[in-house]
């Protein structure tokens, strides 16, 4: 079973097509044709976004963008169109545009009260992570380039100084002079390599402080709440515990109800400040 949409230039042509095609058969299947008297924008956008979804599965990113743009001509705030567009843009490496599409999809879903679970936010986080990794790869490449350039400049400067003739009033033993220069520039190069190795070590040693992590999932908190016992948890983790395990504080075992949870605004501010200075931590 399938469906399609055909547009005719005049009502007369449409009527003639309906009369000739209705109740006919194609490959043994009966054909039903009817005129659409009402606004067809919902049908058109559904067809385009369904095709965009098929192209997503086929990894035909440009076609996804084409179909989403066509759907958005009929409905500028269609959530699915912006969602699929964000996914295609991510695969094409256009991260800023993808992030913008996801934000629009999230706002549209809220205003229209559409339920996408956590799919939109997960997709947004994945794109932000890919953008961060891409930027970090570029930064590391630039650092290697810079280190290589600075090392070359030091070596060139050393050779230049070794080839300089000592002045007449200097009584210098040439071999000793060259030896001192080489020791001096070796120290420069060692210091340079140490500074760049420190950058690499800091990347490898990245850690999120324990006090920023939830007591249940041990992941950095996004919506910290505090219980009457004074313990801070990630809201979603604690609410799941209350629903599935029981109405008590997981650490203190004191009876606890959802209504007693209070947003920990101070902790949230600390976390936001930490993430602002350490964007990698969002994907820790």
């Amino acid at each position: 079973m399938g469906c399609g949409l055909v547009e005719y230039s005049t009502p007369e042509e449409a009527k003639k097509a309906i009369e000739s095609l209705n109740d006919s058969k194609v490959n043994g299947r009966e054909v039903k044709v009817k005129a659409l008297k009402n606004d067809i924008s919902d049908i058109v956008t559904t067809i385009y976004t369904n095709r965009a979804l098929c192209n997503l599965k086929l990894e035909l990113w440009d076609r996804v963008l084409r179909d989403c743009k066509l759907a958005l001509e009929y409905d500028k705030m269609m959530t699915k169109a912006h969602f699929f567009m964000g996914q295609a843009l991510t695969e094409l490496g256009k991260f800023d545009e993808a992030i913008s599409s996801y934000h629009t999809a999230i706002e549209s879903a809220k205003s229209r009260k559409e339920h996408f679970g956590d799919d939109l936010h997960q997709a947004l986080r994945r794109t932000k992570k890919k953008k961060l990794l891409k930027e970090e790869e570029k930064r590391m490449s630039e650092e290697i380039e810079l280190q290589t350039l600075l090392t070359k400049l030091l070596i060139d400067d050393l050779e230049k100084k070794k080839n300089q003739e000592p002045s007449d009033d200097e009584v210098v033993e040439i071999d000793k002079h060259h030896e001192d220069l080489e020791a001096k520039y070796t120290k420069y190069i060692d210091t340079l390599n140490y500074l760049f190795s420190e950058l690499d070590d800091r990347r490898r040693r990245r850690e999120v402080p324990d006090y920023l992590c939830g007591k249940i999932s041990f992941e950095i908190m996004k919506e910290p709440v505090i219980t009457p016992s004074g313990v801070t948890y990630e809201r979603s983790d604690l609410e799941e515990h209350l629903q599935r395990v029981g109405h008590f504080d997981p650490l203190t075992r004191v009876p606890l109800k959802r209504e007693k949870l209070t947003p920990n605004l101070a902790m949230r501010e600390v976390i936001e400040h930490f993430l602002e200075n350490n964007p990698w931590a969002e994907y820790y």
Side-chain angles (χ1 to χ4, degrees):
M1 182 178 179
C3 66
L5 182 69
V6 180
E7 185 176 355
Y8 293 92
S9 56
T10 65
E12 289 74 21
E13 287 183 14
K15 184 178 179 181
K16 185 177 179 181
I18 291 171
E19 290 172 352
S20 62
L21 292 173
N22 212 16
D23 295 325
S24 62
K25 290 190 176 183
V26 175
N27 294 330
R29 293 183 178 183
E30 191 174 350
V31 177
K32 292 291 183 181
V33 185
K34 67 176 181 178
L36 297 172
K37 298 180 181 180
N38 299 322
D39 183 14
I40 62 170
S41 61
D42 287 347
I43 296 173
V44 174
T45 53
T46 299
I47 290 172
Y48 283 138
T49 51
N50 284 348
R51 191 167 70 179
L53 179 58
C54 293
N55 285 323
L56 266 178
K57 302 293 184 184
L58 295 170
E59 299 184 359
L60 300 173
W61 315 124
D62 289 328
R63 293 187 182 183
V64 175
L65 295 181
R66 177 202 62 193
D67 289 335
C68 290
K69 288 174 181 176
L70 287 170
L72 292 172
E73 287 180 9
Y74 289 87
D75 182 354
K76 294 185 184 300
M77 291 297 290
M78 187 177 190
T79 307
K80 282 187 178 179
H82 286 290
F83 182 27
F84 296 157
M85 184 178 285
Q87 294 176 64
L89 289 167
T90 297
E91 296 300 331
L92 291 170
K94 299 179 180 180
F95 302 119
D96 289 330
E97 293 178 52
I99 290 169
S100 177
S101 290
Y102 285 136
H103 280 305
T104 304
I106 290 168
E107 289 305 312
S108 173
K110 282 182 182 177
S111 64
R112 298 182 177 197
K113 297 182 179 178
E114 296 171 329
H115 300 288
F116 282 81
D118 195 39
D119 290 349
L120 296 175
H121 288 90
Q122 279 187 359
L124 177 60
R125 286 195 292 272
R126 280 195 297 268
T127 297
K128 285 183 175 180
K129 183 176 182 179
K130 285 188 176 184
K131 180 187 176 186
L132 181 67
L133 292 174
K134 190 73 175 177
E135 289 173 347
E136 193 154 281
E137 283 177 13
K138 182 182 177 184
R139 193 179 303 115
M140 289 173 68
S141 176
E142 289 172 346
E143 286 172 6
I144 292 170
E145 227 177 280
L146 177 60
Q147 184 179 6
T148 303
L149 175 62
L150 292 175
T151 302
K152 184 178 183 303
L153 289 173
L154 285 170
I155 292 171
D156 290 346
D157 194 47
L158 170 61
E159 293 303 317
K160 182 180 177 182
K161 282 188 166 56
K162 286 169 68 175
N163 292 327
Q164 285 178 348
E165 294 293 334
S167 58
D168 294 337
D169 58 344
E170 289 181 315
V171 181
V172 181
E173 186 182 337
I174 296 298
D175 288 343
K176 179 69 167 62
H177 178 61
H178 286 180
E179 188 179 310
D180 291 344
L181 280 174
E182 286 178 358
K184 180 180 180 181
Y185 276 79
T186 297
K187 187 175 180 180
Y188 287 160
I189 292 171
D190 287 344
T191 302
L192 179 67
N193 291 336
Y194 171 76
L195 292 173
F196 278 97
S197 69
E198 278 291 291
L199 285 175
D200 290 335
D201 285 343
R202 274 203 291 271
R203 283 195 195 94
R204 285 192 291 269
R205 290 197 306 263
R206 285 175 172 172
E207 291 182 2
V208 176
D210 289 341
Y211 61 84
L212 300 183
C213 298
K215 300 292 189 297
I216 298 174
S217 68
F218 302 105
E219 295 178 355
I220 192 164
M221 292 181 284
K222 295 178 178 63
E223 192 178 354
V225 292
I226 191 166
T227 67
S229 302
V231 184
T232 296
Y233 297 92
E234 167 62 30
R235 179 184 286 279
S236 59
D237 294 336
L238 184 54
E239 288 182 349
E240 184 176 356
H241 165 84
L242 295 176
Q243 183 179 357
R244 294 189 177 184
V245 183
H247 294 282
F248 59 88
D249 188 308
L251 287 184
T252 65
R253 316 295 288 184
V254 172
L256 176 64
K257 291 186 177 180
R258 181 180 176 182
E259 297 76 32
K260 296 293 183 179
L261 304 181
T262 305
N264 192 334
L265 300 179
M267 178 60 76
R268 185 166 187 168
E269 188 175 338
V270 171
I271 292 171
E272 287 174 353
H273 178 73
F274 180 80
L275 290 175
E276 187 178 334
N277 291 288
N278 302 276
W280 54 266
E282 189 173 348
Y283 319 107
Y284 179 75

